[in-house]
Amino acid sequence: MVGASNPMISRALQESLERIRRKMENIRFKIAVMSGKGGVGKSMVSTNISVAFSLMGFKTAILDSDFHGPSIPKMLGVERAELVFDNGFKLVETKYGVSVISIGFLLDEKTPVIWRGPMKANALRQFLSDVNWGELDFLVIDLPPGTGDEALSVAQLIPGISGAIIVSIPSDVSRVVVERSVSFARKLDVPVLGIIENMSYFKAPDTGKIYYIFGKGGGRRIAEEMNVPFLGEIPIDPRMATTCDEGIPFIVKYPDAEAAKAIMKIAEEILNTLGVKRP
Amino acid sequence: MVGASNPMISRALQESLERIRRKMENIRFKIAVMSGKGGVGKSMVSTNISVAFSLMGFKTAILDSDFHGPSIPKMLGVERAELVFDNGFKLVETKYGVSVISIGFLLDEKTPVIWRGPMKANALRQFLSDVNWGELDFLVIDLPPGTGDEALSVAQLIPGISGAIIVSIPSDVSRVVVERSVSFARKLDVPVLGIIENMSYFKAPDTGKIYYIFGKGGGRRIAEEMNVPFLGEIPIDPRMATTCDEGIPFIVKYPDAEAAKAIMKIAEEILNTLGVKRP
């Protein structure tokens, strides 16, 4: 309403969107990662997939846009990084090849008020229009949890998203979740690249026996039913929480773990879906 | 700002808060259930604790105020219930003693717009001022996930909350989460009744061996450090997801399960903390 009745605000909006577009021109693929709800490990998946792309030789950055708990800088060991402004914000480099831009770099105890409601998207827009992305193969966009207004407002700030990935856990994958995700992607005019099922099973380290703690095969089943690609399943690994706390990506610390191999395979699968060859 | 400059809006607000207060006068205890983030099983805990109170002979209702995914009606088998208005909204009865009022009864595909930002709390306020609670021993308030503005706006609509409970999983319990929760409770001027740790461990059904999938003992440790009561731990039970889908509370369907006994014990612990005797 304000924008419609006030040509100044409307022009500022247009200009910042145009600045974002121009600054993002040299990114080959922009992948949005979403989830039906919180707590499914979306940020862990975004982080490790990004590191996987990076290990494969792709120049990759990750955008952490989760206002509720921007955890990606911590997972990459750059929680205390400071943004450098040099004719635009510079991407924050990590030890793992991938670079990162996070809402978390902007938040502090003193600024809770500006993040209420629609201000969030405005603040993020302003921020994004000032980031210098440089040349990238991949930008992985970790969206806020859910497929509602908030995730949508954020995703709509990024022009030309190549595709969307849904992260879920077995008990949370339902027809409704996938339908919502498809309708989300439709609003953005991007294809759903597929579903990743996290916490698919727990393999007892002593006996090797597999337990389907949160249900079995839900992701693959619903993907087939709804005609959406199934990108793979990631088992539960108790060490995953620790690596998130330590700031070392799981696939770097435990490359031989079943979960790490699953993540690498999923990254390959995404390349296949996009028709991209490894450099 | 609007409220301050417009006495009409300010008066309407005052009046509806007063109506809520008056209508809630006959509730002995109002317990707010919160979580540091989504996906920790907050609604499952709220539902089962409420059913536990009800089984113990307390007249109990549950208020599901989670806009992002109001799941409690489904967990109680009343997903398709229709609200009856008879000089105020009537509580929806379930088969399990406990009655329920949920945001979910108001939401449909056609009304996404009114739920943006601050409108949420206004809509909920209006709704709550029209509910007839009757006489209750317990009202369990399932807050939106997180301890930020949204959960706070909702909690502030309810006058005289007796205490707040924090639901967490082992890997998510940190000093920061508990600090946030304490500051949340302080803003509401209510005591933190304690921490419930969900998904504490997985006991293999065949070997009886215990696996600490999401870390070990974090809840109890941080509760001690921060001087907040520890209310107990609930193990992972793969059947829990199924009971949520079926609309039968876990403690009703599997009363002998370790997780069910843990929930009953936690309910007792809450009674102790409040100094309440079973009827």
Side-chain angles (χ1 to χ4, degrees), chain A residues 116 204 206 209 211 213 236 238, chain B residues 149 204 206 209 211 213 236 238:
Chain A
R116 272 184 179 261
D206 49 345
K209 188 165 169 183
Y211 300 96
I213 288 182
I236 296 169
Chain B
D149 281 350
D206 48 345
K209 189 166 169 184
Y211 300 96
I213 288 182
I236 297 170

Side-chain angles (χ1 to χ4, degrees), chain A residues 138-204:
Chain A
F138 282 99
L139 176 63
V140 174
I141 304 143
D142 192 56
L143 293 177
T147 49
D149 281 351
E150 189 174 325
L152 197 63
S153 319
V154 172
Q156 280 168 339
L157 292 176
I158 322 275
I161 294 179
S162 323
I165 289 172
I166 307 157
V167 180
S168 192
I169 60 172
S171 56
D172 186 39
V173 199
S174 64
R175 184 174 279 273
V176 179
V177 170
V178 180
E179 272 170 359
R180 271 199 216 120
S181 306
V182 171
S183 105
F184 182 94
R186 205 168 280 156
K187 282 180 205 158
L188 294 174
D189 214 11
V190 305
V192 173
L193 296 178
I195 297 174
I196 298 174
E197 190 185 85
N198 191 27
M199 306 189 201
S200 291
Y201 56 86
F202 171 67
K203 189 191 251 185

Side-chain angles (χ1 to χ4, degrees), chain A residues 43-269:
Chain A
S43 297
M44 184 282 295
V45 170
S46 297
T47 302
N48 279 280
I49 294 285
S50 302
V51 173
F53 287 152
S54 182
L55 290 175
M56 288 172 181
F58 294 107
K59 205 155 162 27
T60 305
I62 179 162
L63 167 62
D64 175 14
S65 68
D66 186 347
F67 289 84
H68 300 288
S71 48
I72 290 178
K74 186 170 184 195
M75 290 182 186
L76 289 166
V78 291
E79 203 181 0
R80 296 178 196 290
E82 290 202 2
L83 278 179
V84 175
F85 193 91
D86 177 14
N87 204 14
F89 291 116
K90 288 173 73 172
L91 300 182
V92 171
E93 310 281 340
T94 74
K95 285 186 214 157
Y96 314 104
V98 63
S99 39
V100 60
I101 278 294
S102 170
I103 292 278
F105 296 139
L106 292 183
L107 295 177
D108 66 48
E109 297 303 304
K110 293 166 227 142
T111 55
V113 179
I114 67 154
W115 303 107
R116 272 184 179 261
M119 289 302 290
K120 287 181 189 175
N122 286 336
L124 183 64
R125 174 168 51 77
Q126 224 174 326
F127 177 43
L128 289 184
S129 72
D130 277 334
V131 174
N132 288 335
W133 301 94
E135 299 230 337
L136 291 173
D137 294 308
F138 282 99
L139 176 63
V140 174
I141 304 143
D142 192 56
L143 293 177
T147 49
D149 281 351
E150 189 174 325
L152 197 63
S153 319
V154 172
Q156 280 168 339
L157 292 176
I158 322 275
I161 294 179
S162 323
I165 289 172
I166 307 157
V167 180
S168 192
I169 60 172
S171 56
D172 186 39
V173 199
S174 64
R175 184 174 279 273
V176 179
V177 170
V178 180
E179 272 170 359
R180 271 199 216 120
S181 306
V182 171
S183 105
F184 182 94
R186 205 168 280 156
K187 282 180 205 158
L188 294 174
D189 214 11
V190 305
V192 173
L193 296 178
I195 297 174
I196 298 174
E197 190 185 85
N198 191 27
M199 306 189 201
S200 291
Y201 56 86
F202 171 67
K203 189 191 251 185
D206 49 345
T207 64
K209 188 165 169 183
I210 285 175
Y211 300 96
Y212 293 93
I213 288 182
F214 297 115
K216 184 179 174 183
R220 187 181 295 275
R221 206 162 43 237
I222 200 82
E224 278 169 11
E225 268 181 52
M226 303 283 297
N227 212 11
V228 168
F230 183 68
L231 295 169
E233 48 191 31
I234 305 172
I236 296 169
D237 191 313
R239 298 170 297 183
M240 218 169 265
T242 327
T243 59
C244 288
D245 287 344
E246 287 172 350
I248 306 166
F250 185 80
I251 61 166
V252 171
K253 179 130 188 197
Y254 301 107
D256 295 327
E258 205 165 310
K261 287 178 186 161
I263 290 166
M264 292 303 288
K265 214 173 134 223
I266 288 169
E268 296 269 12
E269 198 58 41

